[in-house]
Amino acid sequence: MARKQQEKSRQTKQELMEAANELFGRKGFMETTVAEITKHAGYSKGSFYRHWVSKDKLFLEIVENKLTQYRNSRDESLNKAQSLEEVMHIIWDFLENIVRDHNWAKVFLEFTVYASRIPELREDLSLSQYRLSESVFADLVKNFIETDYPPEKLGAFNTVLFEGFMVQNALETGIVNLKDVREAAVTLALNYGLEKTK
């Protein structure tokens, strides 16, 4: 009986997450309400609050799940990498996958701006399971850095380039494309991370 109840609870949670994912992608984070999510999934608000204390926490769980999927394929490739250039391209393949999910990329950007005004959420969002943080980036590249340039600083530059592109992409300015940003990020990493040959 308990197992059946757990399975039902898991199914309810999954269906609520799917409904939220669809609505966030279509309407945005701010415009989507808990009532709409539960109605879309066919559950009561009580079912929602048995799993999450707020829409914010649901969103963070969706982000974590999405990034885990992207990271799994990234990590397989990273295990075979032989150079800093290879690692950089693998990281940017991972980031491009996020951008290709166009609606979701916009919603994540919207949530990031929203979270920046709420200290607890800002702190949550800075954790590595929700973004490519400087420390995660440093861990990915540190074995390939030949100079004393801090890998965390390279991570910060890459994050700035990527998140700046996300803003530009959301505004649909089209001045710089992702290929340009990727090229700049790889060039920067190789410039600072590799010893210059005489």
Side-chain angles (χ1 to χ4, degrees), residues 63-80:
V63 169
E64 186 174 2
N65 289 344
K66 277 183 173 287
L67 291 181
T68 297
Q69 290 171 2
Y70 292 139
R71 284 182 181 122
N72 288 340
S73 63
R74 178 199 71 190
D75 292 347
E76 284 177 34
S77 300
L78 283 170
N79 290 333
K80 301 172 191 161

Side-chain angles (χ1 to χ4, degrees), residues 155-174:
F157 279 130
N158 275 266
T159 302
V160 166
L161 285 168
F162 178 68
E163 291 176 351
F165 173 77
M166 293 277 282
V167 170
Q168 185 225 336
N169 195 42
L171 296 173
E172 299 177 1
T173 61

